[in-house]
Amino acid sequence: MTDEVGVITGDLTVVTTLQPDGRAAVAVQYTDADEWYTLTGSPTPLPHPDGLRQVHDTVLDAIKAGGGAEVPT
């Protein structure tokens, strides 16, 4: 589920980045496309200071499961 266009499906690329305020931002795109979309719920607080990988992995699992995945809070 994205803020800009709603649900997208297919071959996706997911990027999770650390923001200056310490939160994790998650963006998705159709693989090899130019446009990036904000995954709904992004940015989100990190579960702990080193939790960027944990957020990314949790998001990937949710996307793979389908059903309009959002960033966990």
Side-chain angles (χ1 to χ4, degrees):
M1 179 66 71
T2 68
D3 291 348
E4 296 85 2
V5 296
V7 175
I8 62 173
T9 60
D11 190 18
L12 303 174
T13 300
V14 180
V15 173
T16 305
T17 56
L18 182 61
Q19 300 297 288
D21 64 3
R23 296 184 297 165
V26 182
V28 298
Q29 73 173 172
Y30 291 106
T31 299
D32 296 326
D34 293 329
E35 300 84 14
W36 285 91
Y37 304 107
T38 303
L39 195 65
T40 300
S42 177
T44 188
L46 293 178
H48 51 79
D50 296 325
L52 191 63
R53 170 55 67 183
Q54 180 181 350
V55 169
H56 184 77
D57 290 345
T58 300
V59 165
L60 286 180
D61 289 343
I63 289 171
K64 289 175 185 176
E70 297 183 4
V71 175
T73 56

